[in-house]
Amino acid sequence: MAKIIPFKAVRPTRDKVCLVSCRSYEEYVTAELAAQLDFNPLSFLHVLKPAYTNQETVSFEKRYRQVNQKYQDFKTEKILVKDKKPAIYIHKIITNKHSFTGIIVGTSIDDYHNNRIKKHEETIAFRVQLLKDYMKFSEFNSEPVLMTYPDNKTLENWIFNRTQKLADFEFSSTKKEVNYLWKIDDALEINWIQNIFEKIDKLYIADGHHRSAAAALLSEENENPENTAKDYLLSYLISENNVKVYEFNRLVKDLNGLEKEAFIKELDKNFIIENLKQQPFQPTEKHQLGMYLDNEFYSLLLKKEKNVFKTALESLDTQILYETVLLPLLAIKDLRDDERIEYVSGKQSILELKKIIDEGEFEVGFILFPSNIDEIKALADADLIMPPKSTYIEPKFRSGIVIYEL
């Protein structure tokens, strides 16, 4: 049974939302970040990264308290306003290729601890601690964790009907995404939705494992039992058929001392290899990899006798690549921190991957077939952890649209 709650969100006023909302500041290159901060005084980036020119000289705690102070300034100036009644929020994001619609709610930290909220990624303790401290001293969360729920026709029909009405706001981003938000604050309607989720056994984290772990840690340290906000996690719940899962392709700087011919000979032990010369290649099925090496594309199809797996993790293409190529042949043990490997989102063209390798910093690239939501759920249900950078999942939520105060 999944527990969800409404909450009094802090939101930009309707006339300012298009100027306030922003991507995560980590997604901005330096010049773009500086331009936003210099020329858009309403950008939520001013809250996320105040006094950005001297951040390296400020302690983490002081920096996070500055975030809170700037946040309070935005509220004082009525750039951000808190809703008067608890509500849930329907949020729709339309990109140039996809449309995503989900609901923004609070989900239970108890459900997280009791594994009713399922995980499939490993977290880094240092990063979790930093995020926990950020939430503690800034006293808000503006980036919901993306979670999926099983397809539910009743809920989807309700969302569809609700989104036919005029939205509380509608705006386009510089990335040409259209965003809509509907506030639902009718108590009977909220109770009806809560009852639907009480019949759902599990929610699955699709994106935001560090944020959820940080929120759980913050809840554990909560010394004020009257502050129940810390018992819940800002979440964007979306039907599992409405997420888009992309792959992360791999770039490796060298062949670990192997000559090209010797490397391909080693690959032949596990894969049926087809040299496609200059023809760009994208895998079309599981257990098929693409490779770009020495100005040529290759298809690598796992041999049938090697296609024997005991767990969902073993059958994952990213794990197959790691176990058969990256670790034994290229001596890459740590997929997260080894400086010889980097990752390119499957949203980017493989011609971009080719261009990067042709520029000379990397020697070989591996192109993967994307995982699907069923694989992610199977791993989570078995308490297994995906290799780092196995999936790039959409939708991505903009900051400053719906803020959950802690």
Side-chain angles (χ1 to χ4, degrees):
M1 138 182 347
K3 183 177 181 180
I4 65 168
I5 61 161
F7 63 98
K8 297 178 182 178
V10 176
R11 301 184 290 129
T13 56
R14 185 184 183 98
D15 62 311
K16 298 182 181 68
V17 62
C18 62
L19 294 171
V20 173
S21 79
C22 65
R23 309 192 306 275
S24 169
Y25 74 79
E26 295 176 350
E27 295 184 23
Y28 292 86
V29 298
T30 302
E32 187 183 14
L33 178 63
Q36 285 285 323
L37 292 168
D38 285 340
F39 299 111
N40 181 5
L42 299 182
S43 173
F44 198 68
L45 287 168
H46 287 284
V47 175
L48 297 176
K49 203 171 179 66
Y52 70 99
T53 55
N54 63 346
Q55 284 297 293
E56 67 279 358
T57 64
V58 179
S59 69
F60 286 122
E61 180 176 339
K62 186 174 181 181
R63 188 186 309 178
Y64 302 156
R65 291 190 184 279
Q66 287 177 345
V67 169
N68 177 263
Q69 183 57 58
K70 192 65 178 179
Y71 172 67
Q72 298 301 330
D73 291 345
F74 267 45
K75 290 175 67 177
T76 299
E77 296 168 13
K78 303 300 183 184
I79 300 169
L80 300 173
V81 178
K82 189 168 186 175
D83 285 334
K84 294 180 180 180
K85 294 174 62 178
I88 65 172
Y89 304 85
I90 301 175
H91 185 43
K92 184 174 184 178
I93 305 167
I94 301 177
T95 70
N96 60 348
K97 292 183 178 180
H98 304 287
S99 175
F100 307 99
T101 307
I103 62 174
I104 304 170
V105 298
T107 55
S108 169
I109 296 293
D110 281 344
D111 284 353
Y112 179 87
H113 286 307
N114 294 330
N115 215 25
R116 284 190 288 269
I117 294 176
K118 308 290 288 186
K119 310 93 178 168
H120 69 266
E121 286 186 8
E122 189 175 12
T123 56
I124 302 170
F126 174 72
R127 187 178 171 195
V128 170
Q129 183 69 37
L130 280 182
L131 281 171
K132 186 271 296 181
D133 290 342
Y134 179 89
M135 293 179 186
K136 176 181 178 180
F137 294 115
S138 68
E139 300 180 2
F140 70 83
N141 185 4
S142 64
E143 294 188 35
V145 173
L146 179 65
M147 299 187 193
T148 67
Y149 57 82
D151 299 345
N152 185 302
K153 196 65 176 177
T154 301
L155 187 56
E156 297 309 303
N157 286 339
W158 174 81
I159 290 174
F160 175 80
N161 291 329
R162 251 346 206 113
T163 55
Q164 301 311 298
K165 299 180 181 180
L166 181 66
D168 281 54
F169 68 60
E170 170 188 352
F171 74 96
S172 294
S173 73
T174 56
K175 291 292 184 180
K176 299 180 180 179
E177 297 174 348
V178 185
N179 291 260
Y180 302 85
L181 189 85
W182 292 265
K183 180 177 68 173
I184 313 296
D185 59 7
D186 178 79
L188 291 176
E189 204 166 6
I190 292 171
N191 185 64
W192 179 80
I193 296 164
Q194 288 176 312
N195 287 336
I196 288 179
F197 276 93
E198 284 182 0
K199 298 172 185 176
I200 294 175
D201 290 335
K202 304 169 189 173
L203 300 173
Y204 292 81
I205 298 176
D207 190 23
H209 285 78
H210 283 87
R211 275 169 280 154
S212 54
L217 186 59
L218 181 64
S219 177
E220 291 173 10
E221 296 180 2
N222 184 21
E223 297 178 352
N224 180 9
E226 295 184 1
N227 183 2
T228 58
K230 290 186 174 68
D231 296 332
Y232 296 90
L233 171 64
L234 179 65
S235 304
Y236 182 54
L237 307 184
I238 190 168
S239 173
E240 62 188 32
N241 68 1
N242 195 209
V243 294
K244 177 62 178 175
V245 183
Y246 295 91
E247 72 279 11
F248 265 109
N249 298 318
R250 275 78 167 126
L251 303 174
V252 182
K253 292 187 175 181
D254 58 70
L255 296 183
N256 191 33
L258 293 171
E259 295 295 332
K260 173 185 173 181
E261 292 75 15
F263 179 63
I264 291 177
K265 185 177 181 180
E266 289 295 323
L267 291 177
D268 185 62
K269 295 177 181 179
N270 292 295
F271 299 95
I272 299 170
I273 302 173
E274 182 181 0
N275 187 340
L276 301 169
K277 304 296 182 181
Q278 295 296 312
Q279 179 183 345
F281 175 73
Q282 192 101 26
T284 58
E285 59 182 310
K286 277 182 60 64
H287 306 155
Q288 183 183 49
L289 308 173
M291 182 174 73
Y292 182 69
L293 173 64
D294 193 22
N295 298 306
E296 294 179 327
F297 285 94
Y298 295 81
S299 166
L300 309 179
L301 183 63
L302 190 68
K303 292 181 176 179
K304 288 185 178 180
E305 61 268 25
K306 303 292 182 178
N307 194 350
V308 179
F309 310 109
K310 296 180 180 178
T311 68
L313 177 61
E314 290 178 359
S315 70
L316 201 66
D317 284 352
T318 50
Q319 186 70 10
I320 291 169
L321 176 63
Y322 177 71
E323 295 286 355
T324 60
V325 182
L326 298 180
L327 178 60
L329 303 184
L330 301 181
I332 294 175
K333 183 177 181 180
D334 189 340
L335 291 173
R336 197 183 298 276
D337 295 324
D338 195 309
E339 294 181 353
R340 293 169 55 228
I341 187 169
E342 289 192 17
Y343 304 89
V344 177
S345 161
K347 287 195 70 177
Q348 297 189 45
S349 165
I350 58 172
L351 295 180
E352 181 64 23
L353 178 144
K354 175 184 184 299
K355 177 183 176 183
I356 294 171
I357 294 174
D358 288 345
E359 288 173 350
E361 184 179 356
F362 298 91
E363 191 165 353
V364 62
F366 297 97
I367 305 154
L368 289 101
F369 186 72
S371 297
N372 57 51
I373 195 68
D374 290 332
E375 286 183 299
I376 293 172
K377 289 175 62 179
L379 283 159
D381 287 338
D383 296 323
L384 296 171
I385 301 299
M386 274 187 164
K389 297 290 186 180
S390 287
T391 57
Y392 178 92
I393 298 179
E394 287 186 334
K396 298 296 184 186
F397 197 86
R398 294 178 69 83
S399 291
I401 295 176
V402 174
I403 301 164
Y404 181 78
E405 291 193 325
L406 298 164

